[in-house]
Amino acid sequence: MDRRRKELWRRCRSLADGVALPEPFDAGSFIAELAAGRGRPIEVMQVSVPSSGPCGLLMSTERADYILYPANTTALHRRHILLHEVGHLLCGHVGADGGAAGIALDAAAGKALMPNLSPELVRRVLGRTTYSAVEEQEAELLASLLAQRVARTSVRGTARHEEGGSDLAGGLARVDDLFGSRKRRLP
């Protein structure tokens, strides 16, 4: 693994390990705690998105951060979109102007996606809706690491509440031994 990738993994692991996740995981509680910790509101909004549109979108304004996700997706995909957009927030990504390297939304698409926001605000924010390939990799890796923690705590929580849980917990320990746990990491 080259030096840049190792640094990306180190940074994302450190960020992921520093994030408090509610047990059991609840997206509303997670966002509320994250917003309180940042001292800044985060609003999660379900929107109608054309099939050619983005899966998720993070918009930051002076007042709040907005995470938009499509109405026509699965709960698992919705959670990953949420964690990905939170990854952009945690990494401090600010985006860049749309163009050849990214997806730029026009004002009509912005109004369709965000009907509750003023046209001026939509126009001002639309130029900050794309990220570099490195920023996307960072947000995606951070989302995957957080999703892995959510899945582990969900399974462990289930194991604690089921009578046959000791077999499941033992199986998780064996998987951790084989592939490494959060405490013992490779590269």
Side-chain angles (χ1 to χ4, degrees):
M1 190 180 299
D2 68 20
R3 188 175 58 90
R4 233 186 265 177
R5 285 184 55 111
K6 284 181 182 178
E7 183 54 38
L8 176 72
W9 274 88
R10 275 190 211 105
R11 175 171 157 72
C12 287
R13 281 186 188 132
S14 176
L15 285 168
D17 288 346
V19 173
L21 296 173
E23 290 187 37
F25 184 79
D26 174 76
S29 298
F30 171 63
I31 291 297
E33 289 175 25
L34 183 64
R38 295 177 73 233
R40 182 176 166 77
I42 300 173
E43 294 189 27
V44 180
M45 301 167 62
Q46 180 176 318
V47 295
S48 296
V49 179
S51 60
S52 61
C55 289
L57 183 66
L58 170 66
M59 292 180 28
S60 296
T61 67
E62 290 94 17
R63 188 188 90 62
D65 295 309
Y66 300 89
I67 296 175
L68 289 76
Y69 67 91
N72 58 342
T73 192
T74 66
L76 182 63
H77 189 220
R78 187 171 44 249
R79 179 170 43 191
H80 189 80
I81 291 167
L82 175 78
L83 294 174
H84 177 94
E85 301 307 334
V86 163
H88 283 301
L89 285 175
L90 295 173
C91 292
H93 298 161
V94 293
D97 291 342
I103 300 169
L105 300 175
D106 62 24
K111 187 63 179 165
L113 290 173
M114 301 154 275
N116 299 330
L117 301 179
S118 72
E120 296 79 30
L121 176 61
V122 171
R123 274 194 299 277
R124 191 173 77 233
V125 173
L126 285 179
R128 301 191 317 245
T129 60
T130 60
Y131 298 95
S132 72
V134 172
E135 289 173 328
E136 283 300 324
Q137 288 173 352
E138 192 172 40
E140 191 64 19
L141 178 55
L142 185 52
S144 296
L145 291 170
L146 290 171
Q148 181 181 39
R149 283 185 51 208
V150 167
R152 283 187 178 181
T153 58
S154 295
V155 170
R156 286 188 179 128
T158 301
R160 274 185 242 129
H161 293 95
E162 293 178 357
E163 291 191 4
S166 60
D167 291 340
L168 182 56
L172 283 173
R174 287 189 297 278
V175 169
D176 280 348
D177 287 343
L178 182 61
F179 293 106
S181 69
R182 288 186 332 145
K183 293 176 181 62
R184 184 190 64 167
R185 302 209 192 255
L186 296 176

